[in-house]
Amino acid sequence: MEKCGIGKSGSEHYNWRGGRGLDSHGYVRINYPGHPRAEYNRVLEHIVVWENAHGKPLPRGWVIHHLNGIKTDNRIRNLVALPAMKHHLVLAAKAKRIQELEAILNGKGQLL
């Protein structure tokens, strides 16, 4: 008698969830053996979605940004590819704008 699929992998494993799951940063990873960016046969879903929509691999040094900030929303209209440095600038500008809006909500004017 076999114990809960122990020793089996993929869809034969007792804890199989369709090849999708969240990583420790809240991003969806999918089972995709052989993908150049795969780690332990899993790759970030948003990369695969962007690559499939554009018919080419994501350039090295580029990242995918989720426009609405929701890491699990991998619809193509929510994804934009940017060079890593430009993405850093986008995140910095976003953080500054959040501070400004929080200051307005708190009635203190703008923070610099």
Side-chain angles (χ1 to χ4, degrees):
M1 187 166 165
E2 199 172 307
K3 294 181 181 179
C4 303
I6 294 174
K8 298 197 176 204
S9 62
S11 61
E12 298 295 316
H13 192 272
Y14 75 96
N15 201 26
W16 176 251
R17 295 196 171 128
R20 291 179 89 232
L22 293 182
D23 69 10
S24 61
H25 301 285
Y27 292 99
V28 177
R29 285 198 176 263
I30 60 172
N31 197 37
Y32 200 131
H35 188 281
R37 293 179 184 253
E39 297 174 4
Y40 304 104
N41 293 324
R42 298 174 68 77
V43 67
L44 293 165
E45 183 180 60
H46 56 269
I47 291 174
V48 174
V49 170
W50 187 91
E51 289 177 341
N52 286 341
H54 291 87
K56 62 182 180 182
L58 181 67
R60 289 283 169 207
W62 285 53
V63 297
I64 302 295
H65 177 72
H66 290 83
L67 293 171
N68 67 7
I70 301 171
K71 297 175 181 181
T72 57
D73 184 354
N74 293 321
R75 296 172 297 156
I76 190 61
R77 70 181 189 193
N78 188 45
L79 305 176
V80 63
L82 301 165
M85 188 55 178
K86 190 168 185 178
H87 185 246
H88 175 74
L89 296 174
V90 166
L91 294 179
K94 178 179 157 186
K96 182 178 179 191
R97 183 63 179 146
I98 289 170
Q99 279 187 331
E100 291 169 351
L101 292 171
E102 287 175 342
I104 290 169
L105 286 173
N106 293 328
K108 297 178 182 175
Q110 288 189 340
L111 295 176
L112 299 176

